[in-house]
């Protein structure tokens, strides 16, 4: 149309008829773009171009209920970012925050994020990760099953100013993350509830508790304010964290409730289970309520800690309440601490509990 209009002008003819037609076409195109559904394919996030993974319906009983489920097979970083975009997109726009996924390969998002125990000095070239499930409400949390399949994700870089951040921001009712290792990664937020795997866990009822199991964090840094954990920032509603481990990582917060595995466990009179978890090397540092496994088991909770160990991870509270396993328990009678072992150095500004 532009070529025809140009031709009309050269010939000295009246181009108004063609101009009106061109304007009509542009208006139609604008209307189509304004109502077009969100496209996930070939959308760029930082340096990564997203692509849709294969969706299977007949291969995996991912939640163990005896029937095969719809599961995305994620093979590379472009498909991982596509899946996160799917989870974080509203349902009315084509998203699905209950989608299931399984990793088929090890995935590297960035290389050399941690250099000599600190964040690389060159962060400008790092691909930023946005947490899957960014709110504590059922419409925005992640409620699907994510199976790492024994694979490793390396080089995650999270730099946030919002609550509930990590690989998954909020793991909601019925959700699960399992069989995954995260290494050489950096997580930071200027607000609370930060964890490498999950920022916080939430549910509307006690029907189906969120679960984190068989997950490992190694060679990474989690740095926040309060409610900071190597695995999860908070587990307040009766969740399960099982067989999860932190190796040679730094977990640090400027405030309270800092833990090598979870920052805060329990708060709403639900039984939260932390079992078969360990920390190995590295350090856990905070102001108050700092623990090798759990920073704080809050009042009215029924936090159950069993078979958890601290193998040489140093624990430091700059104000008070540092513990090799548990930093502070608000109501001692509400907790069950069994078969726990710690061999560590403790440092506290006021008192060691």
């Amino acid at each position: 149309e532009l070529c025809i209009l140009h031709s009309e002008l050269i010939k000295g003819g009246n181009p108004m008829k063609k101009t009106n037609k061109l304007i009509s076409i542009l208006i139609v195109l604008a209307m189509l773009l304004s109502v077009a559904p969100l496209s996930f394919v070939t959308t760029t996030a930082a340096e990564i171009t997203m692509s849709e993974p294969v969706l299977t319906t007949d291969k995996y009983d991912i939640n163990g209920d005896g029937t095969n489920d719809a599961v995305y097979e994620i093979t590379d970083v472009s498909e991982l970012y596509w899946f996160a975009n799917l989870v974080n997109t509203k349902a009315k726009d084509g998203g699905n925050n209950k989608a299931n996924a399984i990793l088929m390969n090890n995935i590297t998002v960035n290389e050399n994020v941690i250099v000599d125990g600190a964040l690389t000095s060159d962060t400008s070239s790092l691909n930023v990760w946005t947490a899957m499930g960014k709110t504590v409400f059922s419409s925005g949390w992640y409620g699907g099953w994510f199976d790492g399949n024994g694979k490793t994700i390396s080089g995650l870089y999270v730099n946030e100013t919002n609550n509930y951040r990590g690989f998954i921001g909020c793991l909601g009712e019925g959700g699960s993350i399992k069989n995954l290792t995260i290494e050489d990664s950096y997580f930071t937020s200027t607000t609370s509830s930060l964890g490498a795997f999950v920022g916080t866990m939430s549910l509307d009822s006690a029907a189906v508790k969120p679960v984190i199991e068989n997950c490992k964090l190694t060679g990474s840094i989690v740095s926040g304010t309060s409610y900071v954990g190597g695995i999860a920032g908070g587990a307040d509603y009766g969740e399960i964290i099982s067989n999860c481990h932190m190796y040679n990582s730094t977990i640090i917060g400027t405030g309270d409730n800092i833990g090598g595995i979870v920052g805060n466990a329990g708060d709403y009179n639900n039984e939260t289970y932390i079992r078969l978890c360990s920390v190995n090397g590295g350090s856990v540092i905070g102001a108050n309520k700092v623990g090798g496994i759990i920073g704080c088991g809050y009042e009215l909770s029924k936090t159950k800690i069993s078979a958890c160990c601290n193998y040489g991870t140093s624990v430091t509270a700059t104000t008070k309440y540092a513990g090799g396993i548990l930093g502070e328990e608000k109501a001692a009678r509400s907790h069950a601490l069994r078969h726990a072992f710690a061999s560590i150095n403790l440092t506290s500004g006021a008192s060691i509990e």
Side-chain angles (χ1 to χ4, degrees):
E1 291 293 334
L2 288 172
C3 291
I4 294 172
L5 177 59
H6 181 64
S7 176
E8 291 288 340
L9 289 169
I10 291 173
K11 291 188 292 184
N14 184 352
M16 291 305 298
K17 182 176 180 181
K18 295 296 182 181
T19 301
N20 291 336
K21 185 175 181 181
L22 177 59
I23 291 172
S24 298
I25 291 172
L26 291 174
I27 291 172
V28 171
L29 285 173
M31 292 175 63
L32 288 173
L33 288 173
S34 67
V35 299
L38 177 65
S39 173
F40 298 112
V41 182
T42 66
T43 302
T44 300
E47 297 297 323
I48 295 172
T49 300
M50 294 186 250
S51 58
E52 183 173 357
V54 171
L55 177 62
T56 66
T57 58
D58 58 358
K59 294 175 65 175
Y60 306 102
D61 176 15
I62 199 165
N63 57 10
D65 65 356
T67 59
N68 288 330
D69 302 291
V71 179
Y72 286 98
E73 293 183 329
I74 297 175
T75 64
D76 60 24
V77 66
S78 66
E79 293 178 353
L80 181 64
Y81 270 69
W82 184 96
F83 184 78
N85 197 26
L86 173 71
V87 171
N88 288 333
T89 299
K90 294 180 179 180
K92 66 181 182 64
D93 297 322
N96 181 5
N97 69 332
K98 294 183 179 180
N100 304 311
I102 185 169
L103 288 189
M104 308 305 293
N105 302 305
N106 296 328
I107 292 176
T108 299
V109 178
N110 298 288
E111 294 183 346
N112 301 318
V113 173
I114 306 299
V115 179
D116 296 328
L119 176 66
T120 178
S121 59
D122 180 17
T123 60
S124 61
S125 61
L126 295 180
N127 296 302
V128 177
W129 176 258
T130 299
M132 297 188 293
K134 297 183 289 185
T135 75
V136 294
F137 304 106
S138 59
S139 61
W141 66 35
Y142 178 59
W145 285 60
F146 191 97
D147 187 350
N149 195 27
K151 302 298 190 292
T152 297
I153 296 177
S154 302
L156 290 169
Y157 176 58
V158 173
N159 188 352
E160 283 278 1
T161 59
N162 296 300
N163 295 328
Y164 320 125
R165 291 299 183 260
F167 178 63
I168 295 172
C170 180
L171 185 65
E173 185 173 323
S176 173
I177 180 170
K178 61 182 181 178
N179 307 326
L180 178 64
T181 296
I182 292 176
E183 68 176 14
D184 184 33
S185 295
Y186 183 85
F187 305 84
T188 189
S189 176
T190 57
T191 50
S192 66
S193 300
L194 176 71
F197 289 83
V198 174
T200 193
M201 303 163 80
S202 185
L203 68 163
D204 285 337
S205 67
V208 186
K209 296 180 178 181
V211 176
I212 307 174
E213 61 179 340
N214 303 330
C215 290
K216 300 175 184 178
L217 177 70
T218 182
S220 299
I221 296 173
V222 184
S223 176
T225 56
S226 299
Y227 297 86
V228 179
I231 302 297
D236 298 338
Y237 293 86
E239 298 84 359
I240 298 171
I241 300 177
S242 178
N243 196 30
C244 292
H245 310 279
M246 182 275 279
Y247 296 93
N248 300 316
S249 297
T250 299
I251 316 302
I252 185 169
T254 58
D256 302 344
N257 304 334
I258 316 299
I261 297 297
V262 59
N264 187 81
D267 199 11
Y268 292 96
N269 205 29
N270 295 298
E271 291 186 343
T272 296
Y273 295 89
I274 314 296
R275 59 197 183 199
L276 299 171
C277 295
S278 72
V279 290
N280 307 261
S283 58
V284 183
I285 304 167
N288 183 28
K289 305 171 190 175
V290 185
I293 300 297
I294 301 175
C296 180
Y298 215 68
E299 63 183 333
L300 301 179
S301 66
K302 297 179 180 179
T303 308
K304 306 295 179 68
I305 308 167
S306 61
C308 291
C309 298
N310 182 335
Y311 298 102
T313 297
S314 65
V315 179
T316 300
T318 58
T319 304
K320 60 180 178 179
Y321 300 128
I325 299 295
L326 176 65
E328 185 193 31
E329 51 180 347
K330 281 287 217 175
R333 289 179 295 177
S334 69
H335 294 79
L337 177 59
R338 300 178 179 178
H339 309 298
F341 169 83
S343 177
I344 60 164
N345 290 321
L346 287 176
T347 305
S348 178
S351 60
I352 296 175
E353 299 293 325

